[in-house]
Amino acid sequence: MKALKFLRRMTWLQGKADLGEGPVLAALVKLSIPSIAMVLFHTLFHLVDTVFISWLGETHMVAISYTYPVQIGVFAILEGVGNGMTAIVGRRLGEDRLADAQRTTKAAMGLAYLLCLLWIPFIFPGVSNYFFRALGASDPETLKLTWLYNLWIPITYVLISFSYVTNSVFRCQGNTMVPLNYFIIANSVNLVLDPLFIFVFGWDITGAAAATFIGRAIGTFYLVKKLKEESKISVPLLPYISSKMLPIWGRISMIGLPVTLMSGSVALGLGTVNRILTMAYGPRAVAAWMVDLRVEDLSFNTLVGINNALVPFLAFNYGRRDIARMKKGLNSGFIIGAVVTGVIGLALAVCPHPLIAVFKPTGEVASIAARALRISIAAYPMVIYYTICNSLFLATGYSVFGFVVQILRAVVLRISAAHILSKFVSLEYIWLFQPISFVGATILTIFLSSFLMKKIAREIGK
């Protein structure tokens, strides 16, 4: 414990910064490092599950590949609520309106709990089987495994909802250390329980889902404690819904719905690409694609971490009408993203196999996954650019711009490119659909971000 405290004093790992004063790059580095670590630990939930489940066999791996779009769908809705709330609460704190920030938080928590009801149908095997057949799964064993894994979604979603809103509250107050600690606690529990439940207790794929639930439950107790000790804004643990929340739900939804649809489009895109790969090249291509996505999470999610630090920063200073500080924030985000994501991408391009080997794929699947990964990495500079600009779209309430970019990338360009390439190229080159989609997204982002900055400058009068 003393060593960790010393490390925090000697490095940027405080996770706390003044959003409105002081050097911008320094503030965002302080916030981004724990935020990046938080996202990586969040990814570990799925990564650890995937690793242990992959040890059960290729059928289990294919089942996890089909459940991935469902997981994205769950988090798509939460990201909508969380990002809509973050943009509004951050702006209200910048305007020094704490009571309005508290009301927004309470309403966001009520909305998130209400949305938990959407996942109850996955309890029923008939609904689950129908859904995954639509995504291309047909083997009875695969359908059974996907149902067993998703069976825990409804109850786990309640805990995930609370953590999303609470972590957003801390980020809006310039504190990214508490969200990081939450994920360290939850992941540590999940890491211990996964092999115990899966292999020792013999719970198979269901054991992974149960371990995730218990890990998040213990992490929730930590968040409740920290809310009492370090937050100016409270978050209700028990469900509370009132008709008075409807206007606030409307404001959150105006920002959050495009975010949800944006993330949902990823699920649609991945599910459709899975189907294209299955029909053109078989299940091994899907397994390789799944491994590639899990490995890429390490680099892409560093950008998500930077985004999580940048959105409340930009929202706070948008509320203060400080466009100069907003521009410095964007420039700092580009610098941090280029350094962190660029280094990770380069390392993966040079030596992808050690990380791929964690999933214990066959030699053929590993080779395919490495090829797909290296082709995607070539487009990372463009990914950095449009991800940082998306922070601006979210913070200022123009999340619809990010939605348009994402639809173009994940649905229009990626699916179209994958479909066309699958007709003319071998499995070795099908992965070019990734950089093709990134190029189109970047061109549109340049236009929309330039338009928005000019619009904000006119509003503020500078």
Side-chain angles (χ1 to χ4, degrees), residues 189-321:
V189 174
N190 184 54
L191 182 62
V192 172
L193 294 183
D194 252 348
L196 183 66
F197 287 174
I198 294 173
F199 302 110
V200 178
F201 290 0
W203 292 359
D204 204 83
I205 199 169
T206 304
T212 298
F213 170 77
I214 295 174
R216 288 191 178 273
I218 294 175
T220 298
F221 286 110
Y222 167 79
L223 290 179
V224 171
K225 179 176 180 291
K226 285 297 179 181
L227 281 169
K228 295 178 181 178
E229 296 175 350
E230 300 185 24
S231 178
K232 297 178 183 178
I233 302 173
S234 63
V235 181
L237 179 59
L238 298 178
Y240 176 79
I241 297 174
S242 168
S243 59
K244 295 180 180 179
M245 295 178 175
L246 289 174
I248 302 177
W249 288 357
R251 290 192 289 272
I252 291 174
S253 298
M254 285 183 65
I255 301 172
L257 182 59
V259 177
T260 295
L261 295 176
M262 182 168 60
S263 298
S265 70
V266 175
L268 174 62
L270 292 179
T272 305
V273 169
N274 276 344
R275 187 177 181 86
I276 292 171
L277 292 174
T278 300
M279 295 177 66
Y281 307 103
R284 289 188 178 179
V286 177
W289 173 233
M290 188 69 238
V291 171
D292 170 52
L293 291 175
R294 293 304 195 191
V295 173
E296 281 200 13
D297 278 345
L298 292 176
S299 48
F300 283 177
N301 282 331
T302 60
L303 291 174
V304 176
I306 297 168
N307 176 81
N308 287 344
L310 190 55
V311 169
F313 177 90
L314 294 173
F316 184 89
N317 287 286
Y318 183 50
R320 296 174 74 233
R321 295 313 205 223

Side-chain angles (χ1 to χ4, degrees), residues 111-437:
L111 178 59
Y113 280 149
L114 186 64
L115 292 172
C116 291
L117 300 176
L118 290 174
W119 304 103
I120 290 179
F122 278 100
I123 294 175
F124 305 102
V127 175
S128 176
N129 291 346
Y130 178 83
F131 181 85
F132 289 108
R133 282 197 188 99
L135 294 182
S138 58
D139 179 67
E141 182 64 19
T142 299
L143 292 171
K144 178 183 176 182
L145 291 172
T146 56
W147 171 64
L148 289 172
Y149 188 72
N150 284 321
L151 193 60
W152 287 74
I153 281 183
I155 188 170
T156 305
Y157 189 31
V158 175
L159 300 178
I160 297 174
S161 297
F162 181 80
S163 69
Y164 253 77
V165 172
T166 301
N167 289 336
S168 295
V169 163
F170 278 108
R171 288 191 289 111
C172 286
Q173 297 174 87
N175 185 335
T176 55
M177 203 66 212
V178 168
L180 171 59
N181 289 337
Y182 161 79
F183 279 106
I184 290 175
I185 292 169
N187 268 286
S188 298
V189 174
N190 184 54
L191 182 62
V192 172
L193 294 183
D194 252 348
L196 183 66
F197 287 174
I198 294 173
F199 302 110
V200 178
F201 290 0
W203 292 359
D204 204 83
I205 199 169
T206 304
T212 298
F213 170 77
I214 295 174
R216 288 191 178 273
I218 294 175
T220 298
F221 286 110
Y222 167 79
L223 290 179
V224 171
K225 179 176 180 291
K226 285 297 179 181
L227 281 169
K228 295 178 181 178
E229 296 175 350
E230 300 185 24
S231 178
K232 297 178 183 178
I233 302 173
S234 63
V235 181
L237 179 59
L238 298 178
Y240 176 79
I241 297 174
S242 168
S243 59
K244 295 180 180 179
M245 295 178 175
L246 289 174
I248 302 177
W249 288 357
R251 290 192 289 272
I252 291 174
S253 298
M254 285 183 65
I255 301 172
L257 182 59
V259 177
T260 295
L261 295 176
M262 182 168 60
S263 298
S265 70
V266 175
L268 174 62
L270 292 179
T272 305
V273 169
N274 276 344
R275 187 177 181 86
I276 292 171
L277 292 174
T278 300
M279 295 177 66
Y281 307 103
R284 289 188 178 179
V286 177
W289 173 233
M290 188 69 238
V291 171
D292 170 52
L293 291 175
R294 293 304 195 191
V295 173
E296 281 200 13
D297 278 345
L298 292 176
S299 48
F300 283 177
N301 282 331
T302 60
L303 291 174
V304 176
I306 297 168
N307 176 81
N308 287 344
L310 190 55
V311 169
F313 177 90
L314 294 173
F316 184 89
N317 287 286
Y318 183 50
R320 296 174 74 233
R321 295 313 205 223
D322 191 343
I323 191 171
R325 194 167 175 83
M326 291 176 67
K327 289 180 178 179
K328 290 180 181 178
L330 288 169
N331 291 334
S332 298
F334 290 133
I335 293 171
I336 299 169
V339 171
V340 178
T341 308
V343 168
I344 293 175
L346 181 61
L348 290 175
V350 172
C351 194
H353 289 286
L355 194 54
I356 290 174
V358 172
F359 300 93
K360 294 187 177 181
T362 63
E364 183 180 0
V365 170
S367 178
I368 296 169
R371 176 74 176 179
L373 183 62
R374 284 176 169 142
I375 289 176
S376 294
I377 287 171
Y380 273 20
M382 291 175 283
V383 179
I384 294 170
Y385 179 81
Y386 77 69
T387 302
I388 296 300
C389 286
N390 188 58
S391 302
L392 173 67
F393 301 153
L394 290 173
T396 55
Y398 289 86
S399 56
V400 68
F401 286 0
F403 169 66
V404 172
V405 172
Q406 185 65 15
I407 287 294
L408 177 70
R409 182 185 75 86
V411 178
V412 177
L413 292 179
R414 182 157 67 180
I415 292 177
S416 298
H419 178 71
I420 294 172
L421 288 171
S422 70
K423 303 295 184 182
F424 300 102
V425 303
S426 66
L427 180 57
E428 187 177 3
Y429 295 103
I430 181 63
W431 315 108
L432 287 169
F433 65 75
Q434 283 282 70
I436 290 172
S437 65

